[in-house]
Amino acid sequence: MIAETPVPPYYAVIFTSLRSEVDAGYAAVAERMMALAAEQPGFLGVESAREGLGITVSYWSDLEAVRRWKAQAEHREAQRMGRERWYSRYRVRIARVEREYGA
Amino acid sequence: MIAETPVPPYYAVIFTSLRSEVDAGYAAVAERMMALAAEQPGFLGVESAREGLGITVSYWSDLEAVRRWKAQAEHREAQRMGRERWYSRYRVRIARVEREYGA
């Protein structure tokens, strides 16, 4: 779904990734991380699609909320497993949303 | 592919969309827009995936490059067709990338 975000400014974390050939554990942890993110203070929404390349954009109220989510204990463990097992390459970009429009 | 972007700051245009049931003309114009974007001054790269929800993130050197691309004549016509025919909903977010890391 398209996230219902507030009037900018707010923050976007753009996570792009290519999967490795290791599947074990991935789907459950990915699903858990989406649910866990949604419980965090400052979480505004998330959008995700994979078509070879995976793109997940999560939206946050401010940079402090982004930092807290990166440092959240269960999420840190998931990040470690992602680096070691599930992703052959990934990129995280932290961006300040300045303008939004659409229909 | 994961875009090879320079050291921040630079800009990201996050385009999220849901398709209508109209297919006529869509694939060719979408492909043409990816090629045309890549020719524009200030273009840094693009990442795209669709899995129900479509997410396309294009990267630009500065806000002026983003504005020029939005105003590019052939792109404006594609935007109009997108609004009228191909997308049931869409959202455009313009964001300043402040930090990037990955592996």
Side-chain angles (χ1 to χ4, degrees):
Chain A
M1 287 294 85
I2 294 180
E4 297 295 336
T5 41
V7 174
Y10 56 86
Y11 276 81
V13 177
I14 306 164
F15 174 67
T16 46
S17 64
L18 294 169
R19 290 271 283 104
S20 69
E21 285 169 11
V22 180
D23 259 351
Y26 173 72
V29 172
E31 188 178 337
R32 167 70 181 148
M33 286 306 111
M34 295 282 271
L36 188 62
E39 293 171 7
Q40 304 306 306
F43 175 85
L44 301 177
V46 65
E47 296 166 336
S48 194
R50 179 172 297 278
E51 189 185 20
L53 181 69
I55 307 177
T56 297
V57 188
S58 59
Y59 299 102
W60 301 88
S61 58
D62 55 63
L63 214 42
E64 185 52 33
V66 172
R67 289 192 189 111
R68 276 195 309 258
W69 169 234
K70 184 170 194 289
Q72 200 276 349
E74 191 178 342
H75 185 211
R76 280 177 65 96
E77 176 62 9
Q79 291 170 58
R80 188 188 61 74
M81 292 191 290
R83 283 191 303 268
E84 291 180 5
R85 299 180 200 176
W86 297 317
Y87 299 119
S88 59
R89 286 197 60 207
Y90 72 93
R91 211 78 204 146
V92 178
R93 295 179 175 95
I94 298 167
R96 183 179 187 271
V97 179
E98 299 183 346
R99 185 154 173 251
E100 174 176 350
Y101 60 91
Chain B
M1 289 293 88
I2 295 182
E4 298 295 336
T5 41
V7 173
Y10 55 86
Y11 276 80
V13 177
I14 306 164
F15 174 67
T16 46
S17 63
L18 295 169
R19 291 272 283 106
S20 68
E21 286 172 11
V22 180
D23 258 350
Y26 173 72
V29 172
E31 187 177 338
R32 167 68 181 152
M33 287 306 110
M34 294 283 269
L36 188 62
E39 294 171 7
Q40 303 306 305
F43 175 84
L44 300 176
V46 64
E47 296 165 336
S48 194
R50 178 172 298 278
E51 189 185 21
L53 181 68
I55 308 178
T56 297
V57 189
S58 58
Y59 300 103
W60 301 88
S61 57
D62 54 63
L63 214 44
E64 185 51 33
V66 171
R67 288 191 189 114
R68 275 195 310 258
W69 170 235
K70 183 171 194 288
Q72 199 278 346
E74 191 179 340
H75 185 211
R76 278 178 65 98
E77 176 62 12
Q79 292 170 58
R80 188 188 62 74
M81 291 190 293
R83 284 192 304 268
E84 291 179 4
R85 301 182 198 173
W86 297 316
Y87 299 117
S88 60
R89 284 197 60 207
Y90 71 94
R91 211 78 204 147
V92 177
R93 295 178 175 97
I94 297 166
R96 183 179 186 272
V97 179
E98 298 183 347
R99 187 157 170 249
E100 173 175 351
Y101 60 90

